[in-house]
Amino acid sequence: MGKVMAVCTSLEKGTQKHEVDEIMILEDHGMEGDAHAGKWHRQISLLSYEQVEAFRERGAEVDFGAFGENFVVAGFDFKTLPVGTQFECGEVRLELTQIGKKCHNHCQIFHKIGDCIMPREGVFCRVLKGGKVKVGMEMTRIEGTPCEA
């Protein structure tokens, strides 16, 4: 079980996201108003709170959203979970579709600090069921996902 520590969004791709207290998540779309929302496999990005804190301990002064993540969640090491893993947060249901990503132009944080954890620590999900997500909500892993064939 995890806890949502931050909810972040942005209107433009390639920029740091900013924190909000709550946001609507739209089925098969992503965060309402977020630049990365749409009909594709990377509708929501997740980053471990523990990884952000470890990055801060290395001397980086970064706010939540600096890595372009939508949710910062304590209690999960997302990169160790298999594609197909599902999560619930209130009414919202997400399915992990991608672990990490290749950065083509490097984000603002990479240019400022010389490193970014999102390419190796962040994961991406598609929205199976929408709803509202607020800071402080619990996020749970749905047991039995991904389905073993």
Side-chain angles (χ1 to χ4, degrees):
M1 182 168 21
K3 180 178 179 182
V4 177
M5 305 300 287
V7 176
C8 308
T9 187
S10 68
L11 297 175
E12 295 180 45
K13 291 183 178 183
T15 63
Q16 290 186 199
K17 295 186 183 290
H18 63 278
E19 289 184 70
V20 295
D21 292 329
E22 65 182 43
I23 200 155
M24 280 301 297
I25 307 298
L26 306 175
E27 186 173 317
D28 199 26
H29 185 75
M31 286 187 157
E32 190 172 57
D34 187 75
H36 290 90
K39 265 198 161 323
W40 68 321
H41 70 289
R42 290 179 14 190
Q43 296 169 341
I44 300 284
S45 58
L46 307 176
L47 190 58
S48 165
Y49 172 77
E50 292 79 6
Q51 295 300 332
V52 174
E53 287 302 303
F55 195 77
R56 288 175 173 167
E57 287 173 13
R58 293 175 27 206
E61 295 181 21
V62 293
D63 294 326
F64 293 133
F67 302 105
E69 75 280 9
N70 292 125
F71 296 148
V72 178
V73 182
F76 287 107
D77 186 4
F78 290 112
K79 71 180 181 303
T80 66
L81 300 173
V83 168
T85 299
Q86 293 182 14
F87 305 94
E88 281 186 341
C89 188
E91 295 179 357
V92 174
R93 190 166 183 141
L94 305 173
E95 179 182 45
L96 195 149
T97 58
Q98 181 177 326
I99 301 168
K101 70 173 187 144
K102 182 175 182 169
C103 286
H104 299 285
N105 297 319
H106 293 299
C107 62
Q108 291 174 348
I109 201 70
F110 183 89
H111 291 292
K112 183 177 179 182
I113 307 277
D115 189 20
C116 179
I117 58 175
M118 194 65 183
R120 58 185 182 271
E121 300 291 341
V123 301
F124 300 88
C125 298
R126 67 184 183 100
V127 180
L128 301 178
K129 184 177 179 196
K132 189 176 285 190
V133 173
K134 299 178 185 182
V135 172
M137 290 178 74
E138 286 185 357
M139 181 178 281
T140 58
R141 178 182 178 189
I142 306 302
E143 292 302 318
T145 65
C147 295
E148 307 275 340

